[in-house]
Amino acid sequence: MTVRTRFAPSPTGYLHIGGARTALFCWLYSRHHGGTFILRVEDTDRERSTEAAVQAILDGMAWLDLNADEGPFYQTQRFDRYREVARGMLESGTAYHCYCSKEELDAMRAEQMARKEKPRYDGRCRDRKEPKPGVTPVIRFKNPQEGQTVVEDAVKGRVVFDNHELDDLIIVRSDGNPTYNFCVVVDDMDMRITHVIRGDDHLNNTPRQMNILKALGFTPPQYAHLPMILGPDGTKLSKRHGAVSVMQYREDGYLPEAVLNYLVRLGWSHGDQEVFSREEMVKLFDIKDVNTSASAINPQKLLWLNQHYIKTGDLKRLADELKWHLERIGVDMSKGPSLEGLVKAQQERAKTFKEMAEGSRFFFEDVKEYDPQAAAKNLTPEVLPGLMTLREKLVALPEWSAPALHDALNQTAEALGLKLGKLAQPLRVAVSGGGVSPPIDATLELLGRETALARMDRAIKHIEKAA
RNA sequence: GCUCCCUUCGUCUAGAGGCCUAGGACGGAGCCCUCUCAAGGCUUAAACGCGGGUUCGAAUCCCGCAGGGAGCGCCA
């Protein structure tokens, strides 16, 4: 039997980090077993579902490169099928019409709550033979009243529900539209899903779904309920926690491989290993190694992983990503150093591309003003002789390369009896405008002789003017 | 209220009765390296929710309790 998994988001918002983790585990499971990964959009709630949200989810999946083998399928396009199945259940007697009004149901629930009982439909229309005139009925599933339903969950283990805890849920509304739990069941059946991997907020729905499946003469799939992902403070994920949309991570300068690697370690582990390539994840992923308890996201660790992938990534790829971010912050790249050169110079010191892009700015744009603190400390009359001597040296430097610049700097410092820092730091402020940059030799090389000298001149003037 | 799920350093986790003086990772602290920022190297603090059992022996098995979460809709 080929493994078939599905990721089934409802398009009421962007793809958030929890949904992405579920998608990843579904994807990994199917990949690991050489199976099929299906994307299904659960848009039966026409009020809350939007086209934009569908697109946002698709974009998020594409960015993470979690591609579906089948789909996307849309539940709203399958209403005829759901109604057909419901009709069949009516005929076979596993479902029935219910004429209860909303008010009646509310009153019933209120009474039950008052009696400290679990609110549930009491089945009063179960054996009704005649329709109630003037009322369009809903269709309810006739849930078994006796016995137990056992979920053999791949992560939670054996979970037992008494059938009398489950009531007769509505499968088709009075407007003729099917409900969520029913659509899921019909889809999982029709799409021949073998493994349902989803958030554990669905664990309580599972026995109901299994019972409907059984009533349809279908063997339920294997279930695996994943623990929730919480915000950094250990409470439920929400917008309050900052980046909850997967695409927000891209904007914040994260690489998809870092996000994926971070996500895979949330609720799953393989011994002490922390870094996993995509191939390793596929090879090593096993549902048995999935945890049972919820986990909080830890932005620091994501940052660390991101930095790891920036440090070790392919230059060309990283350069493309840097380009995307430079465009975003409005940097004109028509003149200036190569992006690969910039990545190389910064990949050991940038945690995100957002940071790298900001740090790249001065390579493309003139220094308009100096960082006041850095200038006050480094652009002082005392450094003037050093800067001027160095300028002479650099004008005449035969080869404008990092090693040659490195030597020139060291020689000048030595000749003047200065520590390198006394020369390098003022120079850094002069050419970058601030106190932070890649190593000064690499920075100068990237900047080019003309630009570097012009900025030194400007700094020299700045000092003279202040003095 | 009822049903179900969960509980190891701050966080992610290893741990399948003796290998645990509870390991790793992020973060923290300290030191080294150093032209800034980083990176890197070394060192270090930090956890089995509580109470009962079972057993020669429990983080691991059982039972309670407490705390957290989810579900109980003509929402998904």
Side-chain angles (χ1 to χ4, degrees):
Chain A
M1 182 182 64
T2 347
V3 165
R4 293 172 65 82
T5 65
R6 54 29 165 222
F7 175 56
S10 55
T12 54
Y14 42 68
L15 177 64
H16 62 83
I17 207 75
R21 206 269 312 250
T22 304
L24 173 62
F25 281 21
C26 289
W27 183 85
L28 283 174
Y29 191 81
S30 75
R31 280 295 165 279
H32 180 84
H33 289 96
T36 305
F37 175 58
I38 297 158
L39 177 62
R40 181 168 85 213
V41 179
E42 309 211 323
D43 54 353
T44 53
D45 184 352
R46 292 170 143 159
E47 302 278 296
R48 294 197 300 151
S49 300
T50 65
E51 198 57 47
V54 172
Q55 197 50 51
I57 290 166
L58 261 24
D59 289 347
M61 305 268 295
W63 184 62
L64 294 172
D65 200 18
L66 260 25
N67 296 312
D69 302 306
E70 291 180 19
F73 298 110
Y74 296 85
Q75 292 187 325
T76 42
Q77 291 174 6
R78 289 173 42 79
F79 275 21
D80 289 344
R81 171 62 182 154
Y82 306 134
R83 290 188 190 113
E84 177 194 333
V85 175
R87 206 177 312 127
M89 290 175 72
L90 242 21
E91 280 161 19
S92 69
T94 52
Y96 61 92
H97 285 299
C98 167
Y99 295 86
C100 296
S101 68
K102 261 186 179 151
E103 295 70 33
E104 203 175 340
L105 295 173
D106 286 345
M108 186 173 70
R109 272 191 280 271
E111 277 173 42
Q112 288 163 335
M113 293 284 263
R115 269 184 268 131
K116 302 198 183 223
E117 282 169 20
K118 182 176 182 169
R120 53 199 291 285
Y121 182 66
D122 63 7
R124 59 182 67 171
C125 289
R126 256 191 175 218
D127 302 313
R128 190 181 194 104
K129 296 281 182 301
E130 296 303 310
K132 199 182 229 174
V135 178
T136 323
V138 300
I139 302 176
R140 285 187 187 270
F141 170 60
K142 200 179 274 180
N143 195 80
Q145 312 240 270
E146 306 289 316
Q148 299 178 319
T149 298
V150 179
V151 183
E152 296 287 356
D153 195 272
V155 345
K156 302 280 183 182
R158 184 187 175 89
V159 184
V160 181
F161 295 86
D162 279 328
N163 280 333
H164 67 76
E165 289 292 338
L166 279 18
D167 61 357
D168 293 347
L169 75 161
I170 292 171
I171 57 175
V172 178
R173 301 183 180 100
S174 51
D175 64 4
N177 290 327
T179 58
Y180 166 78
N181 273 114
F182 185 56
C183 297
V184 168
V185 164
V186 175
D187 285 344
D188 285 342
M189 176 175 73
D190 287 354
M191 294 170 190
R192 306 184 327 278
I193 302 301
T194 58
H195 297 260
V196 171
I197 301 169
R198 64 203 339 179
D200 70 6
D201 48 336
H202 289 287
L203 184 55
N204 286 296
N205 285 328
T206 305
R208 299 168 182 283
Q209 295 182 4
M210 288 172 73
N211 283 335
I212 300 176
L213 241 15
K214 285 181 196 157
L216 290 166
F218 204 78
T219 310
Q222 169 75 244
Y223 292 96
H225 286 94
L226 272 19
M228 302 267 94
I229 292 181
L230 310 171
D233 58 356
T235 65
K236 207 171 160 180
L237 268 182
S238 73
K239 292 192 182 82
R240 202 190 309 259
H241 292 116
V244 277
S245 159
V246 165
M247 292 313 274
Q248 182 67 43
Y249 283 98
R250 151 100 126 158
E251 282 163 28
D252 289 347
Y254 292 88
L255 249 15
E257 47 269 55
V259 172
L260 247 23
N261 194 149
Y262 179 69
L263 251 22
V264 83
R265 286 286 290 102
L266 238 38
W268 177 82
S269 60
H270 181 75
D272 286 340
Q273 189 170 345
E274 295 289 349
V275 176
F276 296 88
S277 69
R278 194 169 257 268
E279 294 70 32
E280 281 178 306
M281 285 183 203
V282 169
K283 189 166 160 237
L284 300 172
F285 185 80
D286 192 333
I287 207 90
K288 283 189 208 71
D289 298 321
V290 174
N291 269 167
T292 49
S293 55
S295 36
I297 52 174
N298 179 202
Q300 312 261 50
K301 189 158 180 182
L302 207 211
L303 216 44
W304 173 74
L305 277 166
N306 202 50
Q307 186 169 39
H308 169 84
Y309 284 102
I310 291 177
K311 266 187 321 204
T312 57
D314 171 68
L315 275 188
K316 174 79 178 68
R317 236 221 100 211
L318 299 176
D320 285 345
E321 194 63 19
L322 177 59
K323 184 169 181 226
W324 190 86
H325 283 275
L326 284 169
E327 267 162 12
R328 257 188 127 254
I329 61 171
V331 169
D332 173 12
M333 287 168 273
S334 56
K335 273 187 296 192
S338 82
L339 294 181
E340 288 192 23
L342 277 178
V343 169
K344 223 171 180 168
Q346 293 177 93
Q347 64 186 157
E348 265 189 11
R349 64 204 76 247
K351 287 186 161 64
T352 69
F353 277 95
K354 198 175 180 177
E355 209 178 292
M356 196 190 286
E358 281 303 338
S360 300
R361 199 166 211 136
F362 75 84
F363 287 99
F364 299 98
E365 297 172 356
D366 280 338
V367 173
K368 293 191 186 65
E369 52 190 45
Y370 301 105
D371 170 56
Q373 263 196 314
K377 191 167 173 210
N378 295 290
L379 298 185
T380 58
E382 300 83 79
V383 306
L384 212 45
L387 236 33
M388 291 173 85
T389 313
L390 186 63
R391 189 191 182 283
E392 293 314 306
K393 184 122 187 163
L394 296 190
V395 170
L397 196 69
E399 184 201 314
W400 193 263
S401 70
L405 285 157
H406 184 85
D407 289 344
L409 241 61
N410 274 323
Q411 284 160 17
T412 308
E414 203 174 330
L416 296 169
L418 293 171
K419 286 187 77 177
L420 183 57
K422 291 286 175 207
L423 195 57
Q425 197 56 9
L427 183 56
R428 169 170 287 115
V429 178
V431 299
S432 77
V436 177
S437 87
I440 195 65
D441 47 5
T443 302
L444 291 173
E445 182 190 310
L446 247 16
L447 235 25
R449 190 187 316 245
E450 200 184 327
T451 308
L453 290 176
R455 291 189 188 178
M456 285 177 77
D457 288 341
R458 187 184 182 277
I460 288 167
K461 269 190 210 129
H462 173 90
I463 298 171
E464 287 171 343
K465 208 168 76 187

